[in-house]
Amino acid sequence: MKDIASPARTKAILEKYGFRFKKSLGQNFLIDPNILRNIVEAAGVTKDSGVIEIGPGIGALTEQSARQAGRVLAFEIDQRLLPILEETMAPYEHVEVVHEDVLQADLHERIRRHFEPGQDLAVIANLPYYVTTPILMKLLEEELPIRTMVMMMQTEVAERISAAPGSKAYGSLSIAAQYYAEAETVFTVPKTAFVPQPNVGSSILRLTRRAHPPVSTKQEALFFELVRASFVQRRKTLHNNLAAYWKDTFTKEAIGGNIREAGVEPSRRAESVTMVEFAALADVFAAALEHADSSHDV
Ligand code: SAM
C-alpha cells in the first residue's frame, strides 16, 4: 500500500472520514513522503529507539517513524483523528496513540510506562504552530530523558531558537532553549509539502540535549528572570530594561553598578549579551537581591 503521506492516499483517507481541518489546532498535514523520511533520518533512530510524536494527524510521520524505531508513542488532541489513526496505524503494532493534550500530559509517567528504562528516546514531530514554544519549553524544562528532538516549526521560531548573540533573532527563547540543548536548523520545507498550505515558512529544527548547561548559575530561576527582563524592550539598553524591572528594589545607579560588577557595559543591548555574561549578571544580582532583602529585615 502507498505511504499515508502520498497525496492520493491522504486525499482518500480525508474523504473517507469527511475530515475537515481545524486551523485552531494547527492542522497542516504533510503530503511528501521524502520529506518525512528525511525528518526521521535526522533523528538517527534505530530499532532500539523509542519515538515520541506530538500531533500524529492521520499518521503520515508516525508511519515513517514506526518503520525505523522500536516503539512509537503519539499524543493527539483531536478526538476526530482517533478512528482514522486506528485504521492507518493498524499495521504497526508497536505504535500507541494517546488521546491527550501534550501540554497536560505527565510525560515522565508516560515515558516510564511506554519505554524501557534507559531506552534511546527521540521526539519527532510536525508541531502545531500555535503552541510550538510551550510544547518545546515543556519538553526541555521537564528534563526528560530525551536524546534529540527533530521538529517542524515556523522558520522564524526555528531561527529564534538557534540564534547566536548579535543577531536580530537572538532573544530570551534562544537562551532558554540553548541552556538545555544544542540547536540547529536541519532543512527548510516548502509550503507545497502540506495540506492545507500554511501561511508561514517551515523549517526542521534539531535540538540535542546537553549533558550539562553551558553555564553554571547559582540561581537558575533568577537567571531566566533576568534574561527575560533584559529583552522586554529590545531597543533599550540593558541598564534601562533592568532599571525598569527592579525599580522598586534598586536605584538606577545601583543597577548600573551591578551590571558593571558583572563585567558588562550597561549601555549594551541584551541582544549582544552572551549566555556566559547573563550568568555573571545573574550571580551579581542574586547577591545584591539577597543583600537588599536582609537590609529590609533590619
Ligand atoms: N503529524 C501530522 C503530519 O505531519 O501530517 C500532523 C501535524 S499537524 C501540523 C499538528 C497536529 O497536532 C494535528 O494533528 C493537531 O490535531 C495536533 N495537536 C494540536 N495541538 C495539540 C496538543 N496540544 N496536543 C497534542 N496534539 C495536538
Side-chain angles (χ1 to χ4, degrees):
M1 193 177 302
K2 277 197 174 117
D3 287 0
I4 295 166
S6 69
R9 184 140 175 237
T10 295
K11 190 164 176 268
I13 294 168
L14 296 175
E15 275 176 11
K16 176 174 172 189
Y17 287 88
F19 185 81
R20 292 190 165 270
F21 294 100
K22 266 196 191 156
K23 216 177 163 186
S24 62
L25 289 178
Q27 291 178 337
N28 300 94
F29 294 175
L30 278 163
I31 48 162
D32 185 328
N34 282 327
I35 288 177
L36 289 162
R37 278 190 279 274
N38 291 339
I39 297 174
V40 176
E41 200 186 316
V45 295
T46 69
K47 287 281 172 233
D48 293 329
S49 310
V51 167
I52 298 168
E53 184 178 359
I54 294 128
I58 60 171
L61 181 56
T62 329
E63 175 178 65
Q64 303 298 337
S65 291
R67 287 181 182 159
Q68 305 303 324
R71 266 206 103 170
V72 181
L73 170 65
F75 293 89
E76 177 53 64
I77 200 172
D78 188 346
Q79 169 96 53
R80 302 172 306 152
L81 288 165
L82 298 192
I84 305 184
L85 284 161
E86 210 167 285
E87 181 187 327
T88 58
M89 290 299 109
Y92 305 103
E93 282 183 356
H94 56 306
V95 172
E96 176 141 3
V97 177
V98 188
H99 177 219
E100 194 171 19
D101 175 350
V102 73
L103 291 173
Q104 304 299 326
D106 180 345
L107 293 176
H108 281 284
E109 174 60 15
R110 289 280 183 201
I111 287 173
R112 248 193 317 274
R113 286 221 321 250
H114 289 271
F115 300 106
E116 300 295 326
Q119 186 170 8
D120 176 60
L121 290 184
V123 168
I124 303 179
N126 170 14
L127 290 178
Y129 292 175
Y130 77 107
V131 277
T132 297
T133 309
I135 291 176
L136 184 80
M137 291 320 298
K138 178 178 166 98
L139 293 170
L140 291 171
E141 285 172 352
E142 291 193 356
E143 314 230 336
L144 302 159
I146 292 168
R147 170 179 54 85
T148 189
M149 304 184 202
V150 176
M151 298 181 293
M152 174 97 71
M153 60 187 69
Q154 194 178 332
T155 299
E156 193 210 311
V157 179
E159 283 171 358
R160 281 169 48 209
I161 290 169
S162 56
S167 66
K168 267 213 174 108
Y170 181 66
S172 49
L173 183 60
S174 327
I175 295 169
Q178 291 173 35
Y179 185 80
Y180 297 104
E182 280 178 57
E184 58 183 323
T185 293
V186 195
F187 55 90
T188 59
V189 177
K191 289 182 185 176
T192 49
F194 299 86
V195 281
Q197 294 190 12
N199 300 325
V200 293
S202 301
S203 293
I204 301 296
L205 184 86
R206 177 166 52 208
L207 288 164
T208 312
R209 177 167 278 286
R210 298 181 192 274
H212 307 285
V215 294
S216 70
T217 55
K218 292 197 188 91
Q219 291 190 29
E220 208 172 73
L222 180 70
F223 167 76
F224 289 118
E225 189 183 336
L226 182 136
V227 168
R228 278 192 300 274
S230 302
F231 282 100
V232 164
Q233 297 215 44
R234 293 186 66 89
R235 301 176 63 81
K236 289 201 169 169
T237 63
L238 205 53
H239 196 174
N240 282 335
N241 273 320
L242 295 183
Y245 186 70
W246 274 305
K247 64 179 184 313
D248 296 333
T249 316
F250 301 115
T251 63
K252 194 163 180 194
E253 290 66 40
I255 295 273
N258 289 341
I259 298 174
R260 268 197 205 92
E261 196 186 323
V264 179
E265 182 44 53
S267 62
R268 283 171 57 189
R269 287 186 185 158
E271 64 190 29
S272 79
V273 178
T274 64
M275 213 186 301
V276 171
E277 290 174 318
F278 275 119
L281 285 162
D283 284 351
V284 171
F285 275 92
L289 285 163
E290 214 167 280
H291 188 252
D293 260 0
S294 59
S295 49
H296 280 301
D297 293 344
V298 183

